[in-house]
Each structure stands twice: as structure tokens, then as C-alpha cells.
């Protein structure tokens, strides 16, 4: 079993709707969790970090963490075509980031 | 702007050749990383360095070596390139303070093809 798992997609969402991206991880020791966005042909960039159970909001983005169930999710409200990208989930384990393979999100105008 | 740069951006080479990929940063960060990205596999850590004298193997270090020449420079070498090392390679940095290990800043990537 991979340590960090994401549905590869593509996930297609109409413009203006909520996009929901999910990530599960296998190691209960993990304490910090990150969402990166990667546009096609570009490098990843950090968009959200979360360390505690519950929700963390930043603009149109909300990260949700449930340590008991070992999942972390990212919600994007009012989705825009510019949100079309691959979203990478990363988990801090033993001073390294362990990465999921990413979910490709397509926002349809 | 403080930045992370990688050279070359693209490289095509032949099996058995020695290749060096270079990374420089002007962010003043202590920590530097080398990753490779393959379709469907995500980012995998090759080597990481927390300072000039501290270099550590990552998940997939076999066939690679690194050199941390200065705080700002971290090079990745493929001593004898093989076709399954064809991938997109990223250098990244992070600050010991601030965001710590989770907030990593990536260079633009080097696309390496081994024939």
C-alpha cells in the first residue's frame, strides 16, 4: 500500500461549483499535511498546510484533516478555470515529505 | 526576487554517460532537496541536505550522488545514466525556520531523457 494515496482523476467540475479533492495516508505518526498545486509543465507550489484536526480556510480553499480516519481533503469553492491543475497531497514523515501521485482537476467553463 | 534555479532545463543523453544537474538558490534557505517526478508516481525524494555538512539519502538514491558545494548550491549527478532515469527532476528548498520542512519552494525542473 502506498503511503499517500490520491485518486488520479481527472476530476471534472463545472465552473462556480465546489471541487473536492481527497487524500489518505497510512502512517499514524504523521503530524503535518500539505496541498500543492502543479500546473501542466510547471513546478509545484504550496497552497495550504494543516496540522490539527478540523477545517482550515484560506480564501476559496479549505483544508480538512481527520487524523482518526487518516484522511485530508481540499475543497475549492467557486471553482475557476484557472484552478485547473494537478493537486498534490504531501505528508510530513521523519523529516521528509511523502507525496501522493496527484489528482488532476479540470474546471469546465 | 529570491529564486530557485536549475540548469540545464532540458537534457538528452545516452546510456552510460555521466550527467550533472545543478541547482542554485537565492532564498537563503538551509535545506535543499532533489526529487524526480514520473507520470503516475508523483514526486520521489532522491537526496536531501539540511546544511552543507549534512547530506541524506532519500527514497530512491541508488544510481545518484549529490554535492552541496555551498549553502546556495546543490548538484545531482548520475554517474552512468540509464534509460529508466528518464524523468523530470526538481530541486527544492525550505527554511529551517518559518514553514519548516513542509513549505518547499521548487525550481523550474530539468527534463532529462536517457536514450
Amino acid at each position: 500500500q502506498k503511503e499517500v494515496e490520491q485518486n488520479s482523476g481527472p476530476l471534472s467540475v463545472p465552473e462556480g461549483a465546489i471541487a473536492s479533492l481527497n487524500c489518505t495516508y497510512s502512517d499514524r505518526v504523521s503530524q503535518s499535511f500539505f496541498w500543492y498545486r502543479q500546473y501542466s509543465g510547471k513546478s509545484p507550489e504550496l497552497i495550504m498546510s494543516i496540522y490539527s484536526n478540523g477545517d482550515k480556510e484560506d480564501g476559496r480553499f479549505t483544508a480538512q484533516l481527520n487524523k482518526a480516519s487518516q484522511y485530508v481533503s481540499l475543497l475549492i469553492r467557486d471553482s475557476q478555470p484557472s484552478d485547473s491543475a494537478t493537486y498534490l497531497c504531501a505528508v510530513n514523515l521523519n523529516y521528509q515529505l511523502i507525496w501522493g501521485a496527484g489528482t488532476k482537476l479540470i474546471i469546465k467553463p | 526576487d529570491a529564486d530557485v534555479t536549475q540548469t540545464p532545463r532540458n537534457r538528452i543523453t545516452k546510456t552510460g554517460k555521466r550527467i550533472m544537474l545543478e541547482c542554485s538558490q537565492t532564498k537563503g534557505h538551509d535545506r535543499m532537496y532533489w526529487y524526480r517526478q514520473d507520470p503516475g508516481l508523483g514526486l520521489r525524494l532522491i537526496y536531501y541536505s539540511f546544511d552543507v555538512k549534512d547530506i541524506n539519502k532519500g527514497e530512491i538514491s541508488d544510481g545518484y550522488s549529490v554535492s552541496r558545494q555551498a549553502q546556495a548550491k546543490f548538484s545531482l549527478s548520475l554517474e552512468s545514466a540509464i534509460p529508466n532515469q528518464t524523468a523530470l527532476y526538481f530541486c527544492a528548498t525550505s527554511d529551517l525556520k518559518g514553514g519548516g520542512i513542509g513549505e518547499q519552494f521548487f525550481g523550474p525542473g530539468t527534463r532529462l531523457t536517457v536514450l
Side-chain angles (χ1 to χ4, degrees):
Chain A
Q1 181 186 0
K2 284 193 65 176
E3 294 183 64
V4 179
E5 297 210 37
Q6 298 181 253
N7 189 319
S8 62
L11 175 64
S12 184
V13 173
E15 183 176 357
I18 296 174
S20 177
L21 304 164
N22 299 311
C23 171
T24 59
Y25 60 95
S26 60
D27 199 308
R28 291 186 174 275
V29 176
S30 302
Q31 293 295 318
S32 49
F33 308 87
F34 307 88
W35 283 100
Y36 282 73
R37 177 177 61 202
Q38 185 175 22
Y39 292 114
S40 181
K42 301 296 185 181
S43 53
E45 57 178 340
L46 180 69
I47 53 172
M48 289 287 288
S49 59
I50 187 165
Y51 304 92
S52 304
N53 277 329
D55 295 0
K56 178 182 177 182
E57 188 173 317
D58 184 1
R60 296 187 296 113
F61 298 96
T62 299
Q64 299 175 318
L65 175 61
N66 184 323
K67 290 186 179 180
S69 300
Q70 295 177 238
Y71 82 78
V72 57
S73 61
L74 180 70
L75 302 179
I76 306 175
R77 290 182 300 281
D78 188 23
S79 296
Q80 303 296 311
S82 60
D83 295 325
S84 297
T86 296
Y87 289 80
L88 306 174
C89 173
V91 175
N92 186 356
L93 181 64
N94 297 329
Y95 304 104
Q96 301 178 28
L97 284 185
I98 309 300
W99 298 80
T103 298
K104 184 173 183 177
L105 175 65
I106 299 172
I107 307 300
K108 291 189 171 181
Chain B
D1 276 349
D3 216 344
V4 183
T5 58
Q6 292 182 236
T7 55
R9 294 292 311 280
N10 288 283
R11 182 71 184 269
I12 299 174
T13 191
K14 294 182 178 180
T15 296
K17 294 291 187 180
R18 185 178 187 272
I19 297 296
M20 179 179 285
L21 308 183
E22 298 186 342
C23 177
S24 295
Q25 53 112 347
T26 57
K27 289 188 168 295
H29 288 172
D30 295 307
R31 300 176 176 185
M32 299 187 74
Y33 311 83
W34 275 106
Y35 291 97
R36 65 177 280 176
Q37 188 174 38
D38 299 274
L41 293 178
L43 287 163
R44 292 183 291 167
L45 184 63
I46 306 171
Y47 272 94
Y48 61 105
S49 171
F50 283 177
D51 66 41
V52 174
K53 296 181 180 179
D54 178 59
I55 293 178
N56 304 279
K57 293 182 177 180
E59 177 188 355
I60 55 163
S61 59
D62 287 349
Y64 301 94
S65 62
V66 291
S67 173
R68 184 85 184 263
Q69 299 97 322
Q71 187 204 34
K73 295 184 182 293
F74 193 35
S75 300
L76 176 72
S77 294
L78 288 67
E79 296 301 326
S80 180
I82 56 176
N84 77 358
Q85 291 177 314
T86 293
L88 182 59
Y89 289 83
F90 285 108
C91 174
T93 73
S94 69
D95 197 355
L96 180 63
K97 304 173 284 294
I101 198 168
E103 185 174 13
Q104 297 189 7
F105 297 84
F106 285 79
T110 295
R111 187 166 296 280
L112 177 66
T113 303
V114 183
L115 301 176

